[in-house]
Amino acid sequence: MKKPEKKYAVIFKAEIKELDGEYSETLAVLRAMAVDHYGCLDIASTTEGDNEITISYWKSLEDIKRWRADVKHKRAQQLGRDKWYKSYRVQVVEVIRDYSHE
Amino acid sequence: MKKPEKKYAVIFKAEIKELDGEYSETLAVLRAMAVDHYGCLDIASTTEGDNEITISYWKSLEDIKRWRADVKHKRAQQLGRDKWYKSYRVQVVEVIRDYSHE
């Protein structure tokens, strides 16, 4: 039997201060980079009022670590702290069970 | 040294079909029950258009299991499948790292 593959996620929850044009551009670039160059499997995001929840999925903690160290991503994190977000919380998690209903 | 406490979360992602008055009532009752009677630590939820992401936090898989088996919760799950949601996905995860920026 094949060993089931592990899956990880990064839960990002933020309270928005003010989003600008640079935010939208940066977001689009970063999401494409995460998927195309860092092995990000999937991204889900919803914003309601001032609250954003974004979840990205990854196949290894190593990929998450590489992604966190990316220079453009680091710059965006800094802009997030300086301009876009009042506060945020990041949780790295391991997926234990996964089921869906269509 | 005290062993760090484990923390778990349930990620619920759904595509909404149609929400009604019963949904709002059920949601309020269920959230209160989860926190008051099943040890749920915290709940974060955002809905944008037809997409909902809700994350609940728990101190044990046992609590999650008890909560999933609650009769009122099971009835709500059935209503979710029948009326409120086109599709949904549930992921039980273990929190590995947790950091925040204020």
Side-chain angles (χ1 to χ4, degrees):
Chain A
M1 253 180 24
K2 203 181 156 197
K3 198 178 162 189
E5 279 173 23
K6 289 203 172 198
K7 191 158 87 172
Y8 299 88
V10 179
I11 298 171
F12 174 81
K13 286 181 295 185
E15 195 185 350
I16 294 163
K17 186 156 61 186
E18 197 178 1
L19 304 182
D20 53 17
E22 192 176 12
Y23 170 81
S24 317
E25 281 170 39
T26 305
L27 187 71
V29 170
L30 285 185
R31 287 191 180 181
M33 278 177 57
V35 171
D36 296 344
H37 301 298
Y38 289 92
C40 176
L41 303 169
D42 193 19
I43 299 171
S45 184
T46 46
T47 298
E48 182 177 356
D50 286 343
N51 294 301
E52 174 188 337
I53 299 177
T54 295
I55 306 172
S56 57
Y57 293 90
W58 306 81
K59 67 180 189 305
S60 75
L61 291 173
E62 197 50 49
D63 283 350
I64 294 171
K65 205 172 159 186
R66 287 199 308 124
W67 169 236
R68 196 167 46 196
D70 173 90
V71 173
K72 279 191 185 161
H73 187 200
K74 282 185 98 74
R75 178 162 182 276
Q77 290 170 49
Q78 191 58 54
L79 288 170
R81 285 189 288 269
D82 293 346
K83 294 205 298 181
W84 301 326
Y85 297 117
K86 268 182 222 164
S87 65
Y88 63 76
R89 187 160 182 179
V90 177
Q91 292 165 320
V92 179
V93 305
E94 179 177 346
V95 178
I96 300 172
R97 279 200 300 274
D98 192 339
Y99 52 95
S100 58
H101 175 81
E102 296 292 329
Chain B
M1 253 178 25
K2 203 182 154 198
K3 198 177 161 191
E5 279 174 23
K6 290 204 171 196
K7 191 158 85 170
Y8 299 87
V10 179
I11 299 171
F12 175 81
K13 289 181 294 187
E15 194 184 352
I16 294 162
K17 188 156 61 186
E18 198 177 1
L19 304 182
D20 53 17
E22 192 175 11
Y23 170 82
S24 318
E25 282 169 40
T26 305
L27 188 71
V29 171
L30 286 185
R31 287 191 180 180
M33 277 177 56
V35 171
D36 296 343
H37 301 298
Y38 288 93
C40 177
L41 303 168
D42 192 20
I43 300 172
S45 184
T46 47
T47 297
E48 182 176 356
D50 287 342
N51 295 300
E52 172 187 339
I53 298 177
T54 296
I55 306 173
S56 57
Y57 293 91
W58 307 79
K59 66 179 190 306
S60 75
L61 292 174
E62 197 52 47
D63 284 350
I64 295 172
K65 205 171 155 185
R66 286 197 311 122
W67 169 237
R68 197 168 43 195
D70 174 90
V71 172
K72 279 191 186 161
H73 187 201
K74 282 184 98 74
R75 181 164 178 275
Q77 290 169 50
Q78 191 58 52
L79 288 171
R81 285 189 289 269
D82 293 346
K83 295 205 297 184
W84 301 326
Y85 298 117
K86 270 184 222 163
S87 64
Y88 64 76
R89 188 161 180 177
V90 176
Q91 292 165 321
V92 179
V93 306
E94 180 177 347
V95 177
I96 300 173
R97 279 200 300 272
D98 191 340
Y99 52 96
S100 58
H101 175 80
E102 296 293 328

